[in-house]
Amino acid sequence: MKTFKYFSMMLAMLVCSIGFVSCSSDDDDDTNASTSNSIYGTWVEEGDDYVLEFTLNNNGSGNYRLTEGKRSETGPFEFGYDNEEKVLTIVPDGADTFILAGEWNVTVTPTILRIQGVSDIDGRSYTFQFRRK
């Protein structure tokens, strides 16, 4: 009888330990924008003669800095993002020269933001590939 009681206790301890292990929280957490496929954060593209950096905040606001040689342009903007359609819409706030004004098709990974579309400023088609800063 003592042996049966001993094995019953061992079995109960084993079942409890398996229950504790299976309840751990090791799921990936997407709240960290630098490790998720979130569009939010600061992005930069460096071309041959320019650097374009912009920040997308989770409240729909953003700002940009475009540097071409010694010329630098900065400004705020507003944006909308349709996560299902993967479309980013950027509306400059007072600046009528921001090249990213318009609707852009988006591909995003944890480190790369690729946008394709037609600029509202000059009507030309562009593809930009930014890296997360």
Side-chain angles (χ1 to χ4, degrees), residues 50-67:
Y50 70 91
V51 176
L52 176 56
E53 179 178 317
F54 69 97
T55 301
L56 299 171
N57 301 310
N58 61 4
N59 65 358
S61 70
N63 54 50
Y64 73 95
R65 175 184 305 272
L66 174 61
T67 305

Side-chain angles (χ1 to χ4, degrees), residues 41-47 50-56 62-68 72-77 98-100 113 128 130-133:
T42 300
W43 301 91
V44 63
E45 180 181 75
E46 298 176 18
Y50 70 91
V51 176
L52 176 56
E53 179 178 317
F54 69 97
T55 301
L56 299 171
N63 54 50
Y64 73 95
R65 175 184 305 272
L66 174 61
T67 305
E68 295 176 291
S72 183
E73 175 183 319
T74 61
F77 61 87
F98 184 40
I99 196 69
L100 293 182
L113 175 68
F128 294 98
F130 298 90
R131 64 176 168 75
R132 191 178 295 275
K133 187 170 180 186

Side-chain angles (χ1 to χ4, degrees), residues 30-47:
D30 283 345
T31 58
N32 185 351
S34 66
T35 59
S36 73
N37 289 356
S38 171
I39 65 164
Y40 305 116
T42 300
W43 301 91
V44 63
E45 180 181 75
E46 298 176 18

Side-chain angles (χ1 to χ4, degrees), residues 5-90:
K5 187 175 181 182
Y6 174 75
F7 283 121
S8 297
M9 282 181 44
M10 292 300 281
L11 182 60
M13 288 175 41
L14 179 64
V15 168
C16 287
S17 65
I18 290 172
F20 284 124
V21 171
S22 67
C23 292
S24 71
S25 177
D26 61 353
D27 295 337
D28 292 336
D29 188 3
D30 283 345
T31 58
N32 185 351
S34 66
T35 59
S36 73
N37 289 356
S38 171
I39 65 164
Y40 305 116
T42 300
W43 301 91
V44 63
E45 180 181 75
E46 298 176 18
D48 292 337
D49 57 351
Y50 70 91
V51 176
L52 176 56
E53 179 178 317
F54 69 97
T55 301
L56 299 171
N57 301 310
N58 61 4
N59 65 358
S61 70
N63 54 50
Y64 73 95
R65 175 184 305 272
L66 174 61
T67 305
E68 295 176 291
K70 293 182 180 182
R71 182 173 99 51
S72 183
E73 175 183 319
T74 61
F77 61 87
E78 295 179 359
F79 72 94
Y81 181 62
D82 183 333
N83 195 36
E84 288 183 22
E85 298 291 325
K86 303 294 185 213
V87 173
L88 174 66
T89 304
I90 296 177

